[in-house]
Amino acid sequence: MKKRLLLLCILAIAFGRSAFTQSIVLTGKIMTAQNIPLAGANISVKGSTQGTITDVSGKFSLAVDAGAILLISHIGYKQKEIAVNGRAFITESLEATDLEMESVVVIGYQTASRKSISTSVASISAKDIAPYTTGNVANALQGKVPGLQVVSGGGLPGAQPRILIHGLSSINYNNNPLVIIDGVETGFNSLNLLNPLDIETIDVLEDASAAAIYGARGGQGVILVTTKKGKGATSISLSASSGFNYLPNVKLADANEYARIMNQQAQASGQTLPFPDLSKITNTNYWDRTFDVGRTQNYVLSASGGKNGLSVYGSLGYFREDAYNATDKGGYWQKITGRFNADMTISNAVKWGLTLAPRYETWLNSPNNTYAAYAMDPTTEPFKTIDSVNKSIPAGFMDMTAFNPYYSQPNRSSFNGITNPAFNYLTNFGKSDYFGAQYATYLQITPIKNLVIKSSVEGFIDVTQSNGYTPKYYLASNSFNKQSTLTSSTGVNTRWKVVNTINYRCSIADHNIDILAGESTDKYTVKSTGANRQNIALDDPSFQYISAATTVIDGSGSYQPGAAPWGNMVSYFGSLRYNYKERYFLAGTMRADASSLVNPLYRWGYFPTISGAWVISEEPFFEKVPAKTMSYLKVRASWGKSGGNLPPSSGAYLTTLSSTNYPNASGGYVSGYAAGTIANPEIKWEIQKDYTFGLETRILDNKITLTAEKYIRNPSNLLQNITVDYVLGYPQGYYPTQLANIGKMTTNGWDFSIAYKDHFGKKLLFGATLTMSRSKSIVDDLGTADPILGHEANDVISTYRSRLTKGHQPGAWYGFKRLGVFQSDAEAAAYVNKNNVRLQPVAKAGDLKFSDDNGDGVIDNTDLVDLGSPWPTLTGNLTLTLNYERFDFRTELYYSRGASYFQSYRLNMNPTGHLNFKSGLADQFWHGAGTSNEFPVLRYPDQNGNFSKMSDFFLDQANFLKCNLVQIGYTVPKWIKGVQNLRIYASVQNPFTITKYTGLNPDLPWYSAVGYNGVDNFQAIPSRVVIIGLNLNL
Amino acid sequence: MNRFFQHPLCCLFSGMVLLMAFTGCKKSLLDVDNNSSAVQTSQYFTTVTQCNTSTQVCYRYIDWDSWWQILNWRYLSGEAASDNAWIGNTYQATHATYNAVSEYTIDAGNDRNEGMWIELYKSIGIFNSTIEGIQSAPIDTASKSKFMAELKFLRSWCYFDLVRNWGGVSLVLKIYSAETHIPRSTAKEVYDQLISDLKAAAAVLPRKTAYPASDKFRVSSGAAWALLAKIYLYTEDWANAEAAALQVMNSNDYQLETSFGTLWDYTYKNGVESVFEIQNASSQNPALPSCALYLMNGVADGGWGYYSATSDLENAYIAAGDSIRKVWTLNRQGKPVAGDPNNLSFNGGGYPATQSKSGRFSRKWYVPKSQRPANGLYARNDIILRFADVLLIHAEACAMQNKTADALSSLKKIKDRVGLTTDMSLNGWNLTNAVRNERRLEMAFEGDRLYDLRRWKDAAGKPVINSIFGPNGSFVKYNTQTSTDIFETKNTLETQTKGAAFNPAIHLLWPIPNSELVASGGVVKQNAGY
């Protein structure tokens, strides 16, 4: 193959270029080495803007000079240069690149070839991102990048998924990776701001050895997003998709089932029946009334091209997601994103570039109605008449100015106190606008060969403006709002950063050296103002802005230079990368950071790393191994130390006072300062250290690519709000706390990925990628704070739910082990210790039987034990692709196993609440001998503590296989002139989930601290999305 | 020049020229520890005005910012765990841990019990922090010692609550570093500290009448003596209790309001009977309302509908022929409300009558309809020390010393106001019991009842509470055998056997919260029986 190519080139040169000057129409066909037509290959004429793209059968036609030189390229294949030599028809085949090995990987302030990397860097490219229609690219990554775990953000528009890289890195602070878009450090939430279709590749720096070049901020891993750049022939492309999203059905108890159970409870509790006559009740299906169908739309128009040293990519995108809530006021998220990337080669020595990415978002708050729709009493009529609203308000109760009875029409159940969720729609006025831009510019000079000096200025501006309106309403005597309230707030966050680097590469004999040194300075400032007014004259849309209210209630604001999480920082960094014959690799990096968020006494942190790799397949002896069995083999090892979360606010190391007030005796009040925080002067950043070992190989004629990685990670100095002995009277927190660098943890894990690609005949292409990730964290030390109990201060559960303690998984469930349910009073009475004293003295038939775990003859808090963990033991993804002629098919399956979640749905069955439930759930509870040995009786009062003692009764295993995507595409034959390529497709996102999990959604969003993860508490359920779309290239 | 160097273009430019040779523009960039919303403690406390306003806002924390954890406990423990009140609200679902307190099934994990403990110590921490700040402030000694005296009174009040709920507690009188643990002192050591602090404060503080009108809410020497009298009463130091009460009585700064109802008027503020009261305001911003009013007004009256009076309490008024305090203490379902001409038929909790345990709500904490503020922020002051209390302390201390005439004189003043005659022939145990009964009738729903029952001993030297609660307690027997009350006997969602689980070996003190035992690393030990 190589020889043939060489020959072609020689021929091209030998037979001269000037022989043919006339223009001809060239047609041709581009194929793979296996003679399979290659669609979408880029054909451009060297030195001009002319160009085209091959169609689905690999064919193209192009008017060229007979002596032109063609550049043929395609992602994943080696570029080829072909002389036309006057031919009217050419057939060329492209050789696949050594897949990932030859590709360029972004590693932090520079790039390197995949082969030369000795640290843990995973990559994913546009072809695996673009099929999924989403506003946040993280949704498209779930399970697909080994070592990167994506946890659903839930079903509301714009909800942000969480990302964990190489397992847990922090206990009670965030585990969010650093996100860098084209070199610009942005917040984790910037994944929400980005247009996923602008992305060319994403490289993930997973181990400390790779991430520590970003120092204190790189501790939770780094996601490097590279957006598309202009290159080759000019092309314009349009992507459009549109569809709808809705909730998978949940069947709740109807009025009959509900009333029957409520009666059954009342009977068991010796109460009068709440529904004595079942024939008189009416049913309202609140789930159906509350949820409907929302629309999802995404349109992107982009253009790219390069000429005379200038290359440009530009795009404008529009994305909108309407909540599946059942009205037009159910909430939406829409964004307009723009991107302009330009690079200009001014001379051999000077290069300049510019990136501008503005965005504009508007949000209508999307209320999460899952709880209300689920728990609402179905026997209650949904709405009141206007007349009965007016009659329900006691005379003189409130000033009726601007009172609109419309908001008060949703009925409130007098039986269980829940209000028809329609109320949340009617009164949903929370609207926000966001405007922001990322910018970067660089100047790069190469004064002598191999020496590159680069300076860049980059940053972002984020501006928000939010408005809210709470109308007057009267739902019941204890649920009303007597004052119409308007709020308005603005915020401006700005960040800039200056980076200077110098890079020198040289080769001496077979020794290759690459040295990088750099420094950076950055600054972050937050400013905000807020206002609050009351009393509007009319309930009318034009009066729903702050200026329309007459009574000024509040004005607030803040100015924080050096605000968290970024602070202001000064950094120096360097790296040295060496290899011998591309066979032995050795690399080291060093970074020093000083942050304004840390006490000046402890301000500097130093983060060194070292790594090495051995490409065994480059060894002479490896030539004996036939390529059919194994063509590539590399092993690597790395060690590194990086920073982690910084103290969460500026001046967190200082003890401060807060302003407060007290009424005096003459109708006024006094303002003054009292203790606000008592700080720990020594708090600094968290530290991550890890060891990583990797193996990469390709076997069976490159059909199978396999990577495996094992890591041991030791986060330390973990920031933890440690509970201070209450008697010391520290004012911060409900449980008095102080921030300290106290925790240590070990996270152990491995990641595995296997990709298989093959063709059957010439028409059928098949690809499959399987990933598996496993990680487990164990708390090693919490100092004097051990154990930290994840205690929810509510009245129903008064024992601890989860705990952080040495030797256990963080946030492991903690409670009583249940041995079953007492089937009779006699059985309960017979549950005694060795002195014949009853272990559960008040237990009766139907109550839970708790284990006296330590066997001391008493059931008390010393019997609480670990009941499982909210963290999955294994997650991964299987992506399958099929191409048959013009058809393509793709499916993505995500799986997770080993997690167990707290079921608020069971807690809700607490018979005093009278909340509705999933159809059939109540019947699983004990209601007579032999009916259940799992769930207790529904009876009040609950003297045994079935519902108030944490036990494994509340927990359920969340093993599931969720299909994330099914997509079928068809590439249309070339019907329309000027259209290079047109593909239409239909897809379903989240079409089904296979699970035995009994909660509403096993892919549970995780949006609070580590210690509270896994509480399935009516988080909005991810929607099912049905999409049709097209990709058009001109 | 410095400014110029901070400019990004400057950095870019200099970066191009000399990569790492400029640290000049870095220094100030990192020193941005101040932000607009926090004042560093170490930089504050420099003027008399700063010390003065800081002292005054500390009053807010005597009930932790009027937050309901503390106020709730005052009535949950002080009234509902006694024979005066039920939790009352069986309509709302979420109060299992309330019932555990009032029914004596409480364990050391109880969140209500824990909340009170935490908040009281937080208040103490804020007082200590302010005391330390003022201590080192460069201001005149007279102002300094006056501010300190006020703060030590506030701290003593919180410790008094701690010691009567849990017994001897950790005595924390300054700010310690976060890793410190302090073991429990004995109850006597705590009381001794309070007595010494309050005596010193009484010597420095002005009389209530000496304060200008806007400062009437501040701690006076009278308030310090009144709290001292109460503390002596709790320590059974009858002679000192009498002497301290006489300090207040003889100051002539206080007298009983002519009419008992005046005290419970929504507009009552710092009147002649008031010795110390928490100030509240219905202003919207800052919001400074009273949580007591929310807790105990029925749902129909803008509150949460907790703590309804027992028929046992109503019977006590009936037995005493006390018609005035009966209507000013209890609102009865369907009956007119005293002092509110707009409410001729009281609507109970506002939830279905069958869901109210007794149909009787507190009148003392009721807000008359015409006086309810438009913004819904209820804000009458909460009186926590009043002259009638001092007179009853005096009467009790004298009775216990067999100073019959002195005791009867104070008792008579209390009874005279509500039109009851005093049997001037009483003496011995009869007199003591008459004073005790009077204390119940006068002070019901003011949060003292449980602590009185715990400290009172009967002729045999046993706490009075032992004969009221427990399986054979008089209150338990009344409810389960005698009572025919239409509300209480029908609504068993709150159990009618309340108090049967009382165990005298355990329940004279509440449990130290489990989480405190954990937070103290085992240094703080549990009370017996928990």
Side-chain angles (χ1 to χ4, degrees), chain A residues 648-810:
Chain A
S649 66
S650 66
Y653 52 88
L654 295 166
T655 290
T656 58
L657 299 168
S658 305
S659 163
T660 183
N661 310 283
Y662 189 70
N664 64 18
S666 53
Y669 62 88
V670 187
S671 295
Y673 284 90
T677 61
I678 296 172
N680 173 1
E682 297 189 18
I683 46 170
K684 38 188 168 297
W685 39 61
E686 302 184 333
I687 298 290
Q688 306 286 332
K689 285 183 197 162
D690 67 17
Y691 295 92
T692 309
F693 308 94
L695 180 139
E696 297 161 18
T697 185
R698 275 176 296 127
I699 51 178
L700 294 181
D701 252 343
N702 293 346
K703 279 179 189 161
I704 292 177
T705 306
L706 194 148
T707 64
E709 193 163 280
K710 162 83 194 159
Y711 59 87
I712 305 155
R713 168 171 201 172
N714 293 102
S716 61
N717 267 25
L718 294 180
L719 285 166
Q720 181 73 51
N721 268 316
I722 59 160
T723 303
V724 181
D725 192 339
Y726 306 161
V727 303
L728 301 183
Y730 280 28
Q732 59 264 40
Y734 175 76
Y735 294 99
T737 54
Q738 190 184 63
L739 200 58
N741 294 95
I742 200 158
K744 282 195 184 129
M745 187 162 65
T746 302
T747 297
N748 247 295
W750 53 257
D751 303 315
F752 179 81
S753 128
I754 181 164
Y756 171 71
K757 219 175 166 181
D758 206 349
H759 62 96
F760 301 98
K762 286 190 177 179
K763 289 176 176 171
L764 184 65
L765 275 161
F766 173 74
T769 306
L770 176 72
T771 64
M772 289 174 166
S773 290
R774 186 182 177 95
S775 82
K776 185 173 184 180
S777 298
I778 297 289
V779 176
D780 292 328
D781 190 14
L782 288 171
T784 55
D786 197 352
I788 297 166
L789 301 169
H791 176 190
E792 202 113 308
N794 70 41
D795 302 320
V796 181
I797 287 229
S798 71
T799 36
Y800 300 108
R801 287 180 166 178
S802 67
R803 114 190 128 146
L804 292 161
T805 192
K806 191 174 172 174
H808 297 257
Q809 292 196 66

Side-chain angles (χ1 to χ4, degrees), chain A residues 414 455 478 521 553 559 568 603 653 655 657 660-662 665 673 725-726 730 733 735 738 795 861 940, chain B residues 16 26 29 31 33 36 39 41 54 60 91 94 112 114 122 176 178 181 214 279 285 493 514-516:
Chain A
S414 59
S455 274
N478 61 347
T521 305
I553 299 300
Y559 166 57
N568 295 346
R603 191 160 270 171
Y653 52 88
T655 290
L657 299 168
T660 183
N661 310 283
Y662 189 70
Y673 284 90
D725 192 339
Y726 306 161
Y730 280 28
Y735 294 99
Q738 190 184 63
D795 302 320
N861 283 349
Y940 183 87
Chain B
M16 294 307 299
K26 303 293 176 56
L29 186 109
D31 293 319
D33 37 56
S36 68
V39 179
T41 307
S54 280
R60 177 168 189 156
Y91 180 59
T94 55
R112 305 295 107 197
E114 180 192 60
K122 270 195 211 166
Y176 292 92
H181 300 295
S214 65
Q279 312 292 305
N285 184 40
L493 285 173
N514 261 338
S515 56
E516 167 61 48

Side-chain angles (χ1 to χ4, degrees), chain A residues 391-640:
Chain A
K391 276 185 185 152
S392 68
I393 307 173
F397 179 78
M398 62 201 275
D399 170 14
M400 300 299 281
T401 308
F403 180 85
N404 184 344
Y406 173 63
Y407 304 120
S408 311
Q409 282 184 269
N411 232 333
R412 183 183 171 89
S413 164
S414 59
F415 185 55
N416 75 4
I418 312 267
T419 303
N420 176 358
F423 173 77
N424 296 331
Y425 299 140
L426 301 183
T427 56
N428 184 22
F429 294 97
K431 230 176 163 174
S432 306
D433 294 77
Y434 291 72
F435 178 77
Q438 279 172 23
Y439 59 87
T441 181
Y442 70 86
L443 189 59
Q444 180 177 305
I445 298 174
T446 312
I448 56 169
K449 200 182 168 211
N450 290 337
L451 178 72
V452 179
I453 302 172
K454 187 174 174 184
S455 274
S456 60
V457 179
E458 61 197 38
F460 60 76
I461 303 157
D462 279 323
V463 181
T464 66
Q465 209 280 325
S466 307
N467 296 296
Y469 166 53
T470 313
K472 290 185 179 183
Y473 60 84
Y474 186 93
L475 298 176
S477 61
N478 61 347
S479 179
F480 53 82
N481 179 38
K482 284 179 161 190
Q483 296 283 343
S484 51
T485 304
L486 289 163
T487 58
S488 184
S489 64
T490 60
V492 180
N493 303 349
T494 55
R495 182 155 188 264
W496 61 254
K497 180 169 186 173
V498 176
V499 187
N500 299 300
T501 57
I502 180 164
N503 181 215
Y504 184 67
R505 295 176 198 227
C506 67
S507 299
I508 303 159
D510 287 326
H511 303 274
N512 306 307
I513 298 169
D514 182 334
I515 306 170
L516 173 89
E519 59 90 48
S520 68
T521 305
D522 58 73
K523 190 170 191 293
Y524 181 57
T525 307
V526 167
K527 289 176 206 161
S528 67
T529 54
N532 178 351
R533 289 189 181 191
Q534 288 188 337
N535 291 331
I536 57 170
L538 272 174
D539 175 62
D540 179 277
S542 58
F543 283 76
Q544 288 162 7
Y545 191 75
I546 189 89
S547 51
T550 52
T551 313
V552 177
I553 299 300
D554 194 13
S556 61
S558 78
Y559 166 57
Q560 293 181 61
W566 299 103
N568 295 346
M569 194 179 271
V570 173
S571 311
Y572 298 98
F573 50 88
S575 81
L576 176 63
R577 296 154 48 76
Y578 163 82
N579 75 69
Y580 175 69
K581 284 189 169 173
E582 301 232 312
R583 193 182 297 162
Y584 310 111
F585 293 84
L586 195 63
T589 66
M590 178 71 194
R591 167 112 175 186
D593 280 335
S595 167
S596 67
L597 294 170
V598 180
N599 190 331
L601 295 171
Y602 314 101
R603 191 160 270 171
W604 283 92
Y606 303 93
F607 308 107
T609 77
I610 186 156
S611 61
W614 178 25
V615 183
I616 302 168
S617 50
E618 289 288 326
E619 292 284 356
F621 65 76
F622 202 85
E623 284 180 5
K624 291 174 193 153
V625 179
K628 269 216 179 287
T629 50
M630 182 179 285
S631 51
Y632 181 81
L633 180 64
K634 174 173 140 186
V635 290
R636 56 180 160 81
S638 58
W639 174 86

